[in-house]
Amino acid sequence: MMRVARAFLAAGALVVAVPMAGYAASVALPATISGVSVSSGTVSGNVIVRGGQETVDVDATSVKGTLAGHDVPVRVTPAARETRTTFLVIDTSSSMSVADLATVKTAVQGFLAAAPTDVSIGVVSFSDTPTLDLPPTKDRNAVQRVVDALHPLANTALFAAVELVVHQLGNSGDRSFVLLSDGGETVVPLPRQATELTSVVADVRAHNVRGEVIRFKTDESNDGVLSSLASAGGGSVSQATDAQAVSSAFTAAAKALDSQAAWSIQPTVALVGRQPLVLTGMASGHPFTAETTIDFGTGFTPAPTASSSVESSAPDGSPRGGAGTFGAGSSSGGPAALSLSSLLHGSGRALALGIVALFLAAFLATVGVVAPLFRSRRRERVEAIQQYAAGIVPTVGAVATKAQPSAVSQQLIQLGDRVMEGRESTTRTMDLIERADLPWRAGEWFVLRVLADVIGGALGLLVFRNGAWWLGLLAGALLGVLFPAVALRYLARRRATRFELLLPDVLMLVATSLSSGFSLQQALDAVARDAAEPAAKEFSRALAETRIGSDIAEALERMSVRMDSENLRWTTMAIRIQREVGGNLAETLRTTAKTLRERESLKRQVRAFSAEGRLSAYILIALPIGVFLYSCLVNYDYVSLLWTNPLGILMLVAGAVAMVAGVFWMRKVVQIEV
C-alpha cells in the first residue's frame, strides 16, 4: 500500500515538475542592442541579454535576424574579444545623503566582484561640475578606494557628467556606463534643460555608448531624464528603493557586461532611411528578442560578392542593373540606389509614395499653368457686357491672340465639371468664387482641390519619412483638403467686408447725384466710374444687367445676394418702398448711409472690447499645436507613442475631438453680433 502511495506521489510530482520546467525554460529574458555601426557593407553591434543576478550565455547558433522585414544570416562572436570599458557615474550632489552614498559604496564592491576581469572601469562623480576621479583601469582596488572617498556636495551637473563620460569612452571597443542618480539637473537653467537633454541623448546615440541607469528617489527626481538616457544607450532603469535593491542593481549591471555577444550582418540588398532590426535566439535555455532601428541615411550599398561583380557588368564592360537595386545604372561603386525591398518597407515606402505624389502634383501643376482655361465662355460673355457698360472697346485681334486650351486640361476640367455637377455644395462654392471675384468655374475648382490634396500628402510624406509616414500622409492630405476651402472663404469674406466698408460712401455718392438732378441709373453709372473696388465692379455689373432689360431693384437685390450684404438688402428695400409710395430717395439714402456708419462704428468698438478674449482664444488654440510640433522636434521618440501605441492613438483622437469642440466653443464666446 505504501509503495502504491509513493508511486502516485512520484507521478504527481512528475506531472507538476515537467510543466514547471517547461515554463521556466520558456520565460523570455529582456535584451537590447547597442553599439550599432554601419561600414564597408557590414552592420555590426552588440546584443545584451539581462539575466538579473545570473550571467547568461548567448547561443550563437540560435540567433536569427530580420532586417527591413527580410530574414538575414547573423554571425555571433563572444564580446570578450573586443576591448570593453565602462564608467561608474555617481551623483554626489546634496540630494544624495551620506547614507545613500554609503549604500552606493557597499554596492560597488559587489559590482567590482561580478564584473568581468577584462573590463576596464573608470569613475566620474558630479555635483557642481563633473570630475574624472579615475580613468578606466582594471585595478579593482583603485576603483573601490576612489568610490569610498566620495562625499556629497551641492548642485547636480548631470548632463555635463554624461557628456564627459561619452567623450572619455572614445569611439572604439564596447563602451558603456552605469549611472546612479535621481535624474535631477540643477546647473542647467530650467528653460534650457529640454534642449540640453536632447543634445546629450543625441551624443550618446552618435557614439554608440550603452547606458545602464540606477534610479534613486529624492526630492529632485526626474524619471523622464533617466528614461531618456537609458533609452538612448539601449539600457534599462533599475529602481534603487533600498540598500539591497542598489546592490542588486549594481550586480545586474555587472552581469550584463558578461551576458552579451557581438553580432554582424552583411545585407545583400541596398537600404535607405531607418530600417527595423530584430534579433531572436536563446541564452542559457531562455528565449530573448532584441529590437532596434538602424539609420542607413541616404543609402547603404551591400559589399560586392563574386557573383554580383560578374553580374554587375555586361560582356562589353557597360554597367548592368543588378537584382535588388532600383534603377538600371546603379552599381556597388556608385551612389547608393533605392532598392525595391527598401521601397516596400519603412521610410523607403514613404519616400516612394512621396516621389509618386510629387510627380503627380508636378504634372497637374504643369497642366494648370500651361493651359489657359481659367476663363470660361460664360466669364467671357459677362466681361464683354461689363466692358460695354463701362464704355471699353475691345482691342482688335484680342480674341485671335488668346491662347487655346490644351486637350488634356480640357478633359481634366470637364471631368471636374461632371464630378461637381448636381452636388449640393457646388452652389455654395460657386457663390464664394463669385464673391471672391475669381475667374474659375466648378471643374477648375475641383482640379485645384485635387492638386492641393496631392501636394499636401506629398509634403506630409517627406516631413515624416523617418517616422510614421502614414500619419504624415493623413495630415498632409487633410491639410490639402482644408486649405483651399479656408483660403476661398477668407478671400470671399475679405472682398465682402471691403464692399461693406465702401457702401456708405457709395450711398452718399448716389444721394449727391440724385440731389443734383440725375436719375438713379445715372447715379449708379457715376458709382461705376468713380467708386473704389470692389464697389465699382459690382455696380458696373448691376448697371450692365439693367441695360439688357433687368429691373434696377432686382439687379441690386442680386448684387446683395452675390456679396452677402445685409446692408445692401436694406438699401434695396428702401429703393423699392420709395418707388412704390414716393418720397425723397436722396434723403432716404443719406439716412441709410448714416445708420450704416454708426453701425460700423459700434462693431469696431465691440471688436476692441473683445480683443483680449479673442487673443486668449487664439493662444489657447495655438498652444497645444505648437507644443506638439516642438516636442516632435526635440523629443520625437517620446511623442511618437501617440501614434505607435493603441492608448496613444486613443488619446490623440480624443485630444483632436476636444480641440475641435474647444475651437467652436471659444469662437461662439468671443463672437458678438451687432
Side-chain angles (χ1 to χ4, degrees):
M1 191 67 180
M2 292 296 295
R3 285 196 299 267
V4 174
R6 293 194 194 99
F8 273 108
L9 289 175
L14 183 61
V15 169
V16 174
V18 170
M20 291 300 292
Y23 171 78
S26 63
V27 174
L29 297 177
T32 56
I33 297 174
S34 66
V36 178
S37 63
V38 181
S39 62
S40 303
T42 301
V43 183
S44 60
N46 292 326
V47 58
I48 301 95
V49 183
R50 292 172 175 81
Q53 303 298 311
E54 301 295 333
T55 301
V56 295
D57 296 324
V58 177
D59 184 1
T61 59
S62 68
V63 178
K64 298 180 180 179
T66 302
L67 179 60
H70 297 279
D71 294 337
V72 291
V74 182
R75 182 174 179 267
V76 178
T77 57
R81 296 180 184 178
E82 299 186 26
T83 301
R84 295 194 287 178
T85 306
T86 190
F87 265 95
L88 297 177
V89 189
I90 302 174
D91 188 348
T92 58
S93 64
S94 57
S95 61
M96 299 287 291
S97 64
V98 176
D100 291 336
L101 282 181
T103 302
V104 172
K105 296 172 184 177
T106 303
V108 167
Q109 295 179 358
F111 174 83
L112 296 176
T117 56
D118 66 296
V119 177
S120 298
I121 302 175
V123 179
V124 167
S125 62
F126 60 96
S127 53
D128 291 324
T129 58
T131 303
L132 178 60
D133 299 294
L134 181 67
T137 178
K138 296 181 181 180
D139 186 352
R140 302 299 192 253
N141 294 328
V143 176
Q144 188 65 56
R145 286 195 300 270
V146 169
V147 173
D148 289 341
L150 297 178
H151 56 277
L153 296 175
N155 294 318
T156 310
L158 172 59
F159 297 156
V162 177
E163 288 280 2
L164 173 62
V165 169
V166 169
H167 290 90
Q168 285 291 326
L169 286 171
N171 296 310
S172 61
D174 178 71
R175 305 173 307 283
S176 62
F177 64 86
V178 179
L179 170 64
L180 189 142
S181 175
D182 55 9
E185 169 65 55
T186 60
V187 174
V188 177
L190 185 60
R192 290 177 44 212
Q193 286 190 10
T195 304
E196 189 70 19
L197 176 61
T198 302
S199 175
V200 173
V201 167
D203 207 11
V204 172
R205 287 176 176 166
H207 287 78
N208 291 320
V209 175
R210 189 174 71 258
E212 304 286 347
V213 176
I214 300 175
R215 170 187 170 275
F216 262 73
K217 184 66 175 179
T218 68
D219 295 336
E220 299 177 0
S221 296
N222 191 329
D223 295 346
V225 171
L226 297 179
S227 298
S228 298
L229 293 174
S231 176
S236 60
V237 179
S238 301
Q239 306 297 328
T241 55
D242 51 32
Q244 181 61 36
V246 175
S247 179
S248 299
F250 264 110
T251 303
K255 296 296 183 182
L257 292 173
D258 215 14
S259 302
Q260 60 178 307
W263 56 267
S264 61
I265 297 173
Q266 291 185 337
T268 57
V269 296
L271 299 170
V272 65
R274 297 174 64 86
Q275 301 292 348
L277 170 65
V278 180
L279 298 180
T280 59
M282 301 293 292
S284 297
H286 296 272
F288 70 86
T289 301
E291 301 180 5
T292 189
T293 301
I294 303 176
D295 190 356
F296 291 95
T298 57
F300 167 83
T301 304
T305 60
S307 58
S308 62
S309 62
V310 173
E311 295 175 357
S312 62
S313 61
D316 57 354
S318 60
R320 177 186 303 169
T325 58
F326 190 75
S330 63
S331 63
S332 60
L338 298 180
S339 70
L340 182 59
S341 61
S342 65
L343 291 177
L344 297 176
H345 297 87
S347 60
R349 175 169 51 186
L351 185 60
L353 291 176
I355 293 173
V356 173
L358 282 179
F359 175 78
L360 181 59
F363 171 73
L364 293 177
T366 303
V367 171
V369 172
V370 174
L373 200 62
F374 285 86
R375 289 170 53 88
S376 62
R377 294 181 180 179
R378 174 178 174 275
R379 173 63 60 181
E380 292 174 359
R381 290 196 297 268
V382 172
E383 290 183 355
I385 295 173
Q386 292 174 347
Q387 290 177 356
Y388 170 74
I392 301 174
V393 179
T395 305
V396 178
V399 177
T401 59
K402 182 170 72 76
Q404 296 298 319
S406 66
V408 176
S409 61
Q410 179 74 34
Q411 292 177 358
L412 285 175
I413 296 178
Q414 287 178 355
L415 175 62
D417 287 333
R418 289 195 296 270
V419 173
M420 297 289 290
E421 185 178 2
R423 300 173 62 179
E424 295 181 0
S425 60
T426 302
T427 303
R428 296 192 298 270
T429 300
M430 295 310 299
D431 290 342
L432 291 173
I433 291 176
E434 199 168 16
R435 191 174 304 149
D437 194 31
L438 298 175
W440 297 336
R441 71 187 208 217
E444 295 166 342
W445 174 250
F446 177 78
V447 173
L448 180 64
R449 294 290 298 272
V450 173
L451 179 63
D453 196 19
V454 172
I455 293 178
L459 292 177
L461 283 174
L462 293 180
V463 171
F464 286 82
R465 63 183 183 274
N466 291 331
W469 63 269
W470 59 270
L471 180 63
L473 176 63
L474 180 62
L478 182 62
L479 182 63
V481 170
L482 296 179
F483 179 76
V486 173
L488 178 61
R489 290 181 180 276
Y490 169 76
L491 294 175
R493 184 173 61 253
R494 185 180 66 173
R495 190 168 183 267
T497 302
R498 177 65 178 166
F499 180 83
E500 291 283 345
L501 294 176
L502 292 174
L503 189 57
D505 296 334
V506 169
L507 295 182
M508 290 299 299
L509 180 59
V510 173
T512 303
S513 300
L514 292 175
S515 299
S516 301
F518 286 9
S519 66
L520 180 58
Q521 189 167 0
Q522 290 174 327
L524 295 180
D525 186 57
V527 172
R529 290 195 310 268
D530 300 333
E533 292 295 343
K537 186 170 185 177
E538 292 301 326
F539 277 93
S540 175
R541 180 173 177 177
L543 186 62
E545 293 177 3
T546 63
R547 290 181 177 177
I548 60 177
S550 176
D551 182 70
I552 190 169
E554 293 178 355
L556 293 176
E557 182 68 27
R558 282 191 291 270
M559 182 169 62
S560 68
V561 174
R562 184 168 61 249
M563 298 304 295
D564 192 24
S565 174
E566 189 68 26
N567 295 335
L568 186 57
R569 291 192 185 98
W570 294 349
T571 304
T572 305
M573 186 182 301
I575 293 174
R576 286 182 185 274
I577 294 174
Q578 186 274 338
R579 295 180 66 182
E580 292 177 0
V581 303
N584 191 342
L585 181 59
E587 188 63 28
T588 301
L589 293 179
R590 286 192 182 94
T591 304
T592 304
K594 181 180 178 181
T595 303
L596 295 182
R597 284 197 176 98
E598 292 177 351
R599 186 166 178 262
E600 182 62 28
S601 176
L602 182 59
K603 275 186 177 180
R604 294 185 178 184
Q605 288 182 7
V606 170
R607 284 185 60 84
F609 292 149
S610 63
E612 182 179 358
R614 287 184 287 108
L615 180 60
S616 300
Y618 297 152
I619 293 175
L620 291 175
I621 293 170
L623 187 61
I625 299 175
V627 170
F628 173 76
L629 296 177
Y630 176 75
S631 300
C632 288
L633 293 176
V634 301
N635 198 348
Y636 179 83
D637 294 336
Y638 177 76
V639 180
S640 63
L641 293 175
L642 288 175
W643 54 81
T644 57
N645 186 282
L647 182 59
I649 295 175
L650 180 61
M651 295 173 60
L652 191 63
V653 173
V657 173
M659 278 288 297
V660 172
V663 167
F664 282 103
W665 180 75
M666 287 186 289
R667 185 173 181 270
K668 289 297 182 181
V669 168
V670 300
Q671 186 178 16
I672 302 175
E673 297 291 344
V674 178

